[in-house]
């Protein structure tokens, strides 16, 4: 499977908590882009694509959401409900995000700039590509 949960080290003291994300250290690639998703309406599912080569780590910095991953053979469900959890999603992994809480802020660290040509947005095309590998 091309995905992995990462437990992020949290520096807790009497002032509160702090988590640091560093390329090549706790994040297993060079971070070129960060984006975040918030204000997702009830029942909305997002994603529905795979990337040809992008690596991403998803962190719910606030609230919670669920993530379905599918490598064409196995499907897994993950719950991101803490800022100490990161879900690493590698290349050619279909993913959908759902069950966003109202206060969810889903931050995504990505290994490259936004490039629509890196997306596979059609599920049957995704399956056909997987079968070729
Ligand atoms: P979209 O791929 O539909 O989001 P999701 O995968 O969460 O369902 O992206 C929504 C819009 O944002 C779409 O017009 C593309 C744009 N976008 C960027 O401009 N830059 C980015 O880094 C990302 C991830 C999306």
């Amino acid at each position: 499977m091309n995905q992995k949960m990462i437990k992020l080290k949290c520096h807790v003291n009497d002032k509160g908590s702090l988590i640091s994300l560093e390329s090549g250290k706790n994040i297993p690639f060079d971070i070129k882009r960060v984006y975040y998703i918030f204000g997702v309406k009830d029942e909305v599912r997002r994603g529905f694509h795979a990337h040809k080569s992008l690596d991403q780590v998803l962190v719910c910095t606030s609230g919670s959401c669920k993530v379905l991953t599918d490598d064409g053979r196995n499907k897994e469900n993950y719950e991101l409900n803490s800022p100490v959890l990161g879900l690493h999603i590698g290349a050619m992994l279909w993913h959908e995000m759902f069950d966003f809480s109202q206060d969810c802020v889903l931050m995504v660290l990505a290994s490259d700039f936004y490039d629509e040509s890196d997306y596979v947005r059609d599920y049957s095309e995704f399956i056909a590509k997987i079968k070729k590998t």
Side-chain angles (χ1 to χ4, degrees):
M1 295 295 264
N2 204 6
Q3 79 271 9
K4 193 180 177 197
M5 275 295 228
I6 301 170
K7 179 91 189 286
L8 301 164
K9 184 174 164 57
C10 189
H11 301 271
V12 185
N13 61 25
D14 54 5
K15 297 179 284 187
S17 300
L18 183 153
I19 293 173
S20 164
L21 306 172
E22 297 180 293
S23 294
K25 292 193 173 177
N26 56 354
I27 302 301
F29 51 79
D30 280 346
I31 302 161
K32 269 203 185 168
R33 174 168 53 113
V34 178
Y35 61 93
Y36 39 98
I37 295 169
F38 55 96
V40 179
K41 299 205 167 59
D42 276 354
E43 312 290 326
V44 167
R45 290 176 85 96
R46 303 188 62 125
F48 293 94
H49 61 255
H51 287 280
K52 292 173 193 164
S53 65
L54 193 72
D55 274 293
Q56 301 192 98
V57 169
L58 283 60
V59 180
C60 261
T61 56
S62 165
S64 65
C65 72
K66 291 180 183 155
V67 184
L68 164 79
T69 62
D70 176 357
D71 67 1
R73 295 172 185 90
N74 298 298
K75 293 182 183 180
E76 301 283 344
N77 278 288
Y78 295 89
E79 181 160 18
L80 296 176
N81 56 9
S82 161
V84 305
L85 295 176
L87 179 62
H88 179 204
I89 293 185
M92 290 310 288
L93 197 64
W94 188 264
H95 53 282
E96 298 170 18
M97 295 86 80
F98 60 102
D99 275 1
F100 287 82
S101 63
Q102 280 192 343
D103 59 346
C104 181
V105 179
L106 178 63
M107 180 180 68
V108 183
L109 314 175
S111 62
D112 214 338
F113 300 123
Y114 175 69
D115 175 8
E116 189 58 38
S117 71
D118 186 61
Y119 282 70
V120 183
R121 290 193 184 271
D122 181 82
Y123 189 73
S124 45
E125 185 190 337
F126 165 71
I127 294 295
K129 280 188 186 297
I130 289 288
K131 283 189 177 151
K132 276 194 216 153
T133 58

